[in-house]
Amino acid sequence: MSTKIFAHRGASKYAPENTMAAFRLAELMQADGIETDVQLTKDQVPVIIHDETINRTTNKRGLVRNLTYEELRQTDAGAWFSRDYAGEKIISLDVFLQWIKKTPMLLNLELKTNKFPYPGIEKIVLQCLTYHGMKDRTTISSFNTDTILRFSALDNEIDTGFLTSRRPRQLFSLMEEIGAKALHPKYRLLNKKLIQDCLQHQVPIRVYTVNQPVYILRALEANCDVIISDVPDRALELQKGYITS
Ligand code: G3P
Ligand code: MG
């Protein structure tokens, strides 16, 4: 099976991350899928934003969990990136799913529970995916092993990935314990040993965030299941050359 290219937070090198502008661009570039991040508002609405605060990617300040969805909607999530994107909004998971389900793309939802556990987020996200009929096209990933465990307990059919920036001891027994079906390692972790071990355990590798050509080629060579990249256009271009060479 050939490696799929996912747009990290949308095509986030070219448009403000995790906005509709970045997602539409990813579709235009013909990415195979989108990786995006979910946090929970004060009124329990799952929203698409990477950080726990809105400080970096909007014109206001505060913690997502202390603000309502309505309050988040009042912010500008595009102007920080470039004036051309002023007026972009933080969107809810519901709005995002309503859009992506009409495209052919796959989805990797990262539950951002590594700083705040957002009690109940797993159930809320699962209900949303079920409502939109997106369960079969979605992978749930998290750095938080409890989140993966809770998600696989709620639904053991949905695809899950364990995100990690270092190789823990007993990686494969840990993954089995929490019900993670794939490994989502940081690109620097990808080496011969890890590739071999994953092959042996029949664990797909979905590597992040791979932007430099040398690492993209390495991931293609390793036959990774997915490459998650801020520059999906570059990864797709390299892949074309790689297949024909
Ligand atoms: O899911 C891959 C990647 O997004 C994980 O790290 O911090 O970019 O969300 P981060
Ligand atoms: Mg992410």
Side-chain angles (χ1 to χ4, degrees):
M1 270 245 293
S2 86
T3 300
K4 295 178 278 294
I5 310 298
F6 280 22
H8 181 240
R9 312 180 196 171
S12 58
K13 171 87 165 99
Y14 311 105
E17 63 181 59
N18 285 332
T19 63
M20 280 313 303
F23 298 141
R24 286 200 190 100
L25 202 53
E27 186 192 15
L28 207 66
M29 290 173 172
Q30 298 189 309
D32 299 296
I34 284 175
E35 186 273 354
T36 187
D37 310 292
V38 183
Q39 316 242 5
L40 219 50
T41 64
K42 186 179 176 184
D43 49 344
Q44 303 285 289
V45 178
V47 283
I48 303 293
I49 183 167
H50 178 272
D51 298 358
E52 287 70 25
T53 77
I54 60 170
N55 304 359
R56 182 177 60 88
T57 57
T58 76
N59 58 340
K60 303 235 169 99
R61 298 183 70 79
L63 284 166
V64 173
R65 67 169 189 169
N66 289 343
L67 295 160
T68 63
Y69 181 50
E70 202 38 52
E71 285 167 331
L72 289 182
R73 294 287 295 170
Q74 307 303 320
T75 69
D76 185 310
W80 69 276
F81 185 86
S82 135
R83 261 192 302 188
D84 296 344
Y85 290 103
E88 282 297 322
K89 294 285 166 212
I90 294 177
I91 56 169
S92 64
L93 177 62
D94 186 52
V95 166
F96 175 72
L97 293 177
Q98 184 64 38
W99 171 78
I100 199 172
K101 71 182 179 189
K102 294 184 197 134
T103 78
M105 287 188 287
L106 299 170
L107 173 59
N108 174 191
L109 275 187
E110 182 192 345
L111 302 199
K112 280 282 176 212
T113 48
N114 33 320
K115 299 227 171 93
F116 303 121
Y118 295 123
I121 191 171
E122 299 84 3
K123 205 170 167 194
I124 293 170
V125 168
L126 181 60
Q127 277 170 351
C128 220
L129 286 172
T130 308
Y131 174 80
H132 286 282
M134 277 296 292
K135 261 173 53 176
D136 293 349
R137 258 202 277 166
T138 302
T139 297
I140 296 293
S141 66
S142 187
F143 286 102
N144 184 335
T145 49
D146 291 339
T147 296
I148 309 253
L149 184 62
R150 273 195 286 270
F151 219 105
S152 22
L154 284 175
D155 185 318
N156 64 8
E157 277 175 2
I158 199 155
D159 191 49
T160 49
F162 172 50
L163 268 165
T164 186
S165 57
R166 54 177 193 93
R167 182 168 176 161
R169 277 170 200 265
Q170 312 295 331
L171 172 63
F172 295 96
S173 38
L174 170 70
M175 285 181 56
E176 204 178 317
E177 237 169 74
I178 62 173
K181 295 173 182 155
L183 183 67
H184 293 205
K186 192 180 168 101
Y187 70 99
R188 287 196 180 279
L189 288 186
L190 196 69
N191 58 30
K192 274 201 184 118
K193 173 91 172 73
L194 187 73
I195 296 162
Q196 242 172 29
D197 292 349
C198 285
L199 206 60
Q200 195 191 331
H201 287 85
Q202 296 183 303
V203 166
I205 305 176
R206 312 200 183 107
V207 65
Y208 76 91
T209 303
V210 201
N211 294 335
Q212 293 170 48
V214 57
Y215 292 109
I216 293 173
L217 288 168
R218 203 171 285 176
L220 288 170
E221 184 128 346
N223 204 19
C224 286
D225 181 45
V226 171
I227 292 175
I228 302 171
S229 177
D230 297 333
V231 282
D233 54 340
R234 184 185 298 166
L236 287 161
E237 205 50 41
L238 284 166
Q239 187 181 39
K240 265 192 225 153
Y242 185 78
I243 291 168
T244 52
S245 68

